[in-house]
Amino acid sequence: MLFKRKNKLATKLGFLFLTSIILLEGILFVVLYFGFLNQRVMVETDSLMARGNSHRDVLEKHFDEATRAHVTLMESEAETQVVITDATNSILDHSNTITPSIKSIIQSVDHTSVKDGIIEGDWGKAPYVSTVSPVTINGVSVGYVYMFLNTEGIRDIRDKLTVQFLIVTGLALFLTVITIIYLSRIITKPLIHMKEATQKMSSGEHDVYLIEDRDDELGELAKAIQTLSNDLLRLKNERSDFLASISHELRTPLTYLSGYADIAKRDNLTLEERKRYLTIIKEESGNLTNLVKDLFDMAKMDQKGFLIERQKVEICSLINQVRAKVMPAYENKEINLFTSCQKEIIITLDPERFTQVLLNLLDNALHYSEKGKSVRIEANQVRKDLQVEIIDEGEGIPKEDLPFIFDRLYRVDKSRSRKYGGSGLGLAIAKEIIEKHEGTISASSEVNKGTKIKIVIPGVE
Ligand SMILES: Nc1ncnc2c1ncn2[C@@H]1O[C@H](COP(=O)(O)OP(=O)(O)O)[C@@H](O)[C@H]1O
Ligand SMILES: [Mg+2]
């Protein structure tokens, strides 16, 4: 086959192109062939008839030899031909040589009932188109004027048209081949590349390279697929990184648990010692529970169907409830917790999730601050946005770590975070929740001065 099955689209388009050209051409040909040629023949026949009639008019005045000779002489130079017969159809004069077909046409005419008219009009087959005009003097028929026009000229034109039609058909075929080649280069090839790329992607390969140097829709599609492939690769890497970190995170407390359990099992321990080890075990299992709970939260939020249940909430009273909840822990570490709420701010959000965010942030502020320091929660309405800031005077976050603290499992100081039971997921969860509310969360910090976490959520009533 000339075209590979692969290029089906190009072949289809090419043949569509071919069919429409041939159809158009066919219509043109029919119009020209029948319309134009018939028109031409009609004009010629009419003028032939008119010429015959005018000869007849002359001959009705003088049907003598001299006039007849004059008439035939006039015709001898023209493309047409005249034959004058008497009343019985015997030839008297003629302008050019009489061919057998002229003779047979004349003989086929029934001379007893002839009127003006066309006696042969079939230009396609007959060698002549011919007319007859009877010559009548004083009501008596004295003869006939026959006019003949050779049909060769018209047939010539028709043959030329046919040849031209064939040439154009050939040209259309040629153009079709060119079109198919062009289309397969321009359209189908990139499509096939993209199809192969997506097949590769779905079979798990990711070294897809699809940069099309074109700015049309196909180029855009190629770019979109390339982006998709890159995203997929990134997600895949992220997922395996995440799984690796998670298994590491899980392994650490489990090692502690089993280690301390082994020690606690020993027979030669005092009650005091055994209690201490069991306390550690209890703490570690609590940390593990927290980690699993956070992971579960994360997993839920990754699902497409994760919904926040919004309702009207007055922020100041929500903040006071949160404050009451964390107060014992703050008092325990002797850290002050102040709240400042400008006025009544009413906003629709998911109160449970938002509380979870605040608890996470206050938890961080508590654990990364020293005894005697203060933490402030400030809520403000800025235009239609709710702004909540949690400001501490703690150890701060180094500049180079700041961009990553919202990443899953990212912790500046792993051992320190572990000590208080941090999973490294708190800020990541907070970010997800705030983004589900179409809001933003950001951090600014200075080492040894403190940290400020700022939340902005749109939609204050
Ligand atoms: N208020 C803060 N002050 C200093 N460091 C902070 C503060 N909040 C977060 N961080 C840093 O960001 C990291 C990520 O926070 P988070 O996601 O809550 O995890 P963690 O479980 O460790 O608290 C923490 O490990 C800590 O290093
Ligand atoms: Mg935390």
Side-chain angles (χ1 to χ4, degrees), residues 364-365 368 392 396-397 405 410-412 417 420 422-427 451:
N364 286 343
Y368 298 106
D392 66 49
I397 304 164
I405 57 165
Y410 191 88
R411 285 173 294 188
V412 176
S417 160
Y420 88 88
S423 62
L425 287 171
L427 287 182
T451 301

Side-chain angles (χ1 to χ4, degrees), residues 209-229:
Y209 187 71
L210 258 184
I211 290 309
E212 288 284 340
D213 193 16
R214 47 198 287 173
D215 55 0
D216 55 9
E217 287 86 343
L218 281 174
E220 276 167 32
L221 184 61
K223 264 179 224 143
I225 291 175
Q226 184 70 57
T227 313
L228 191 66
S229 157

Side-chain angles (χ1 to χ4, degrees), residues 294 360-369 390-392 394-398 401 404-414 416-418 420-429 443 445 450-453:
D294 282 352
N360 274 342
L361 299 178
L362 289 172
D363 197 44
N364 286 343
L366 174 67
H367 285 106
Y368 298 106
S369 297
I390 288 155
I391 305 151
D392 66 49
E395 64 184 52
I397 304 164
D401 294 302
F404 307 110
I405 57 165
F406 293 100
D407 290 355
R408 294 174 181 191
L409 297 176
Y410 191 88
R411 285 173 294 188
V412 176
D413 181 347
K414 284 223 180 226
R416 171 133 196 215
S417 160
R418 253 194 55 74
Y420 88 88
S423 62
L425 287 171
L427 287 182
I429 291 173
S445 183
T451 301
K452 181 163 93 179
I453 306 282

Side-chain angles (χ1 to χ4, degrees), residues 381-398:
Q381 181 181 344
V382 179
R383 282 180 289 272
K384 285 278 172 200
D385 294 342
L386 165 70
Q387 244 181 42
V388 180
E389 289 173 329
I390 288 155
I391 305 151
D392 66 49
E393 300 165 350
E395 64 184 52
I397 304 164

Side-chain angles (χ1 to χ4, degrees), residues 314-330:
E314 205 286 293
I315 285 300
C316 291
S317 58
L318 185 138
I319 285 176
N320 284 327
Q321 283 168 26
V322 172
R323 180 177 189 270
K325 234 182 234 177
V326 297
M327 225 34 225
Y330 271 72

